Amino acid sequence: MDVDPNGVSDEDLRRFVLDRIDEDEERLAREELPLLDEAERRGRLRILRSDDGQELLLVPGEAQAQSERAPVPFAEKAQWLRKEVEGTDDRSVLKLLAMAYDTHHGWQEEWRT
């Protein structure tokens, strides 16, 4: 298990992201904007369909699809992200997603680096 110099493990980061996705689903059920969608609007990250439309892609920043496409619905993003987060060993993916939730009280500033 990887641990950063501040003692935060990948599993801590993974749990933080999964818990925030759960909270975002609750926000959506209350007809509130999920924080993940807000992060996309602010240009922190983007979840796009692949060119063939078969997969979703997570990219940093304000990426745009080559052709105009409808936004990915939150429920589909959440389901896909949950599988990705549970199965990845890539700390950079976990940190990118955690940054979408940097206003949460459990956010740790050292995740930004």
Side-chain angles (χ1 to χ4, degrees):
M1 173 182 348
D2 288 341
V3 177
D4 72 11
N6 299 303
V8 179
S9 72
D10 286 359
E11 193 52 41
D12 293 336
L13 198 51
R14 181 176 287 107
R15 184 78 261 147
F16 175 81
V17 172
L18 290 171
D19 288 348
R20 301 302 72 80
I21 292 171
D22 290 345
E23 289 174 2
D24 267 354
E25 288 176 317
E26 293 169 11
R27 277 186 196 84
L28 186 63
R30 294 189 307 264
E31 298 183 4
E32 297 173 8
L33 182 67
L35 294 179
L36 184 64
D37 286 353
E38 179 63 29
E40 282 191 276
R41 287 182 181 186
R42 290 182 292 173
R44 293 191 169 195
L45 55 85
R46 190 81 172 163
I47 299 170
L48 304 168
R49 291 198 188 281
S50 60
D51 288 339
D52 64 7
Q54 299 299 309
E55 298 181 50
L56 296 181
L57 306 169
L58 171 66
V59 293
E62 296 184 49
Q64 297 294 327
Q66 287 185 347
S67 61
E68 193 62 36
R69 297 189 182 119
V72 178
F74 181 80
E76 186 178 353
K77 284 190 278 195
Q79 179 182 15
W80 178 77
L81 284 172
R82 190 171 280 109
K83 285 192 291 190
E84 290 295 310
V85 168
E86 289 171 348
T88 190
D89 291 325
D90 188 340
R91 189 172 180 86
S92 63
V93 169
L94 296 173
K95 288 171 76 171
L96 175 61
L97 287 167
M99 284 181 46
Y101 301 105
D102 67 351
T103 58
H104 187 272
H105 64 83
W107 165 259
Q108 297 185 32
E109 190 61 36
E110 52 271 7
W111 292 344
R112 195 175 306 278
T113 59

